[in-house]
Amino acid sequence: MGAIGLGAASTVYGYSLERHWLQVVEQPIAIPELPEPWKGVRLLHFSDLHLGYYLGITELEKIVDRINQERPDLICFTGDLVDEGTGLLPLAVPVLQKLQPPLGKYAVLGNHDWRYGKSRIIHEALQSAGFSVLMNQHAAIQKQESTLYVAGLDDVLHGVPDPALALDGIPASGKVILLVHEPDYADQALQFPFVLQLSGHSHGGQVRLPILGPLITPPMGQKYVSGLRYAGDGKLPVYTNRGVGTTILPIRFYCRPELTMLTLT
């Protein structure tokens, strides 16, 4: 009976408390030879909202308010705006429009945004909300006559990622941050001159156990599961955000939803 009670209590905790217990993770990111104007810039990274049955507009409003409280300089979203359907998007767009960082906001699509044939609708919703949606493209961000580049790739599992195309036109000396939904793509990204990769997709496992770690991780989210890791013997820093929403089951355990505040150094 004790084990049954403990299991029931854990389930209630994971369903009713932890999945709503948003954590802001502060993480400095060292970029070699970063131009002076970019030192100290605060980049808010979030991922995997999974708008739908388990995360609605009320929850989204709280998340947006929390992001705005952090006063980021720029915002990057690394995919899975929706879980399955797109019915909430008309209500979500004006909420996401409230995110107005001075250096802009940038996004890529995730596998859930692709898998149900609604990628065009989701792409347009993000654009309507003010995001630059980067599909094998890059954006040049200006600050005090210095440029930082954000490149975004198509979804790895359902699209056709093309890093060479995303980098086309960027000078060899340019500092380029890569947005790609699936974190394990970092092993391919190593072949290109990115200084940082930001990803989501794994949800950090969503359910983790002490010592054992995540019980289940998705394809292309099994190596760089959460937090700051390095690909290629330290060559490429990879930050995997645990995500905000949930999928399959509305439960998180030892794996709080995350907003990441990255400070460039």
Side-chain angles (χ1 to χ4, degrees):
M1 291 298 292
I4 294 173
L6 179 60
S10 298
T11 300
V12 170
Y13 164 78
Y15 175 79
S16 64
L17 178 60
E18 184 166 321
R19 74 187 184 100
H20 301 295
W21 190 14
L22 190 63
Q23 180 180 15
V24 178
V25 175
E26 297 273 355
Q27 177 66 61
I29 296 289
I31 296 177
E33 300 178 2
L34 183 69
E36 192 66 32
W38 296 97
K39 294 177 182 177
V41 163
R42 289 159 53 83
L43 187 163
L44 191 291
H45 173 208
F46 73 118
S47 195
D48 295 86
L49 282 170
H50 287 274
L51 284 168
Y53 182 71
Y54 299 135
L55 193 146
I57 300 303
T58 299
E59 291 87 354
L60 180 62
E61 289 174 335
K62 293 178 181 177
I63 293 159
V64 166
D65 286 345
R66 189 68 183 87
I67 292 173
N68 281 333
Q69 287 174 24
E70 293 298 313
R71 303 177 66 86
D73 297 302
L74 69 154
I75 293 174
C76 292
F77 175 69
T78 49
D80 280 359
L81 178 62
V82 304
D83 194 46
E84 295 183 9
T86 58
L88 290 180
L89 290 184
L91 297 174
V93 165
V95 178
L96 291 170
Q97 286 174 341
K98 296 177 183 178
L99 298 172
Q100 296 187 2
L103 296 177
K105 52 189 182 182
Y106 308 88
V108 292
L109 300 188
N111 60 307
H112 278 255
D113 299 324
W114 266 104
R115 70 194 300 181
Y116 299 105
K118 301 293 181 68
S119 61
R120 181 184 59 82
I121 296 172
I122 296 162
H123 188 289
E124 291 175 353
L126 283 166
Q127 284 186 319
S128 296
F131 284 86
S132 295
V133 184
L134 303 173
M135 304 283 286
N136 298 325
Q137 298 167 300
H138 70 264
I141 312 172
Q142 302 293 324
K143 190 173 189 290
Q144 298 177 22
E145 299 183 355
S146 179
T147 305
L148 181 73
Y149 298 89
V150 176
L153 297 186
D154 203 350
D155 181 66
V156 176
L157 295 176
H158 297 281
V160 183
D162 189 337
L165 181 59
L167 288 164
D168 187 41
I170 298 177
S173 61
K175 303 298 182 184
V176 189
I177 296 172
L178 172 64
L179 310 184
V180 59
H181 183 63
E182 289 85 354
D184 291 358
Y185 187 79
D187 291 338
Q188 285 73 53
L190 278 170
Q191 304 170 43
F192 299 89
F194 300 113
V195 298
L196 170 66
Q197 176 180 309
L198 302 181
S199 299
H201 181 56
S202 69
H203 296 210
Q206 199 167 295
V207 174
R208 303 172 66 97
L209 295 180
I211 302 175
L212 296 178
L215 297 185
I216 300 174
T217 50
M220 294 299 294
Q222 299 176 345
K223 185 174 182 179
Y224 306 98
V225 177
S226 67
L228 182 62
R229 301 290 185 270
Y230 291 86
D233 295 324
K235 180 181 177 183
L236 176 64
V238 181
Y239 196 94
T240 305
N241 179 279
R242 294 191 302 265
V244 176
T246 58
T247 190
I248 302 178
L249 292 174
I251 293 174
R252 282 183 176 270
F253 190 79
Y254 257 64
C255 192
R256 289 168 62 185
E258 176 181 0
L259 303 175
T260 315
M261 182 59 76
L262 304 169
T263 302
L264 306 185
T265 66

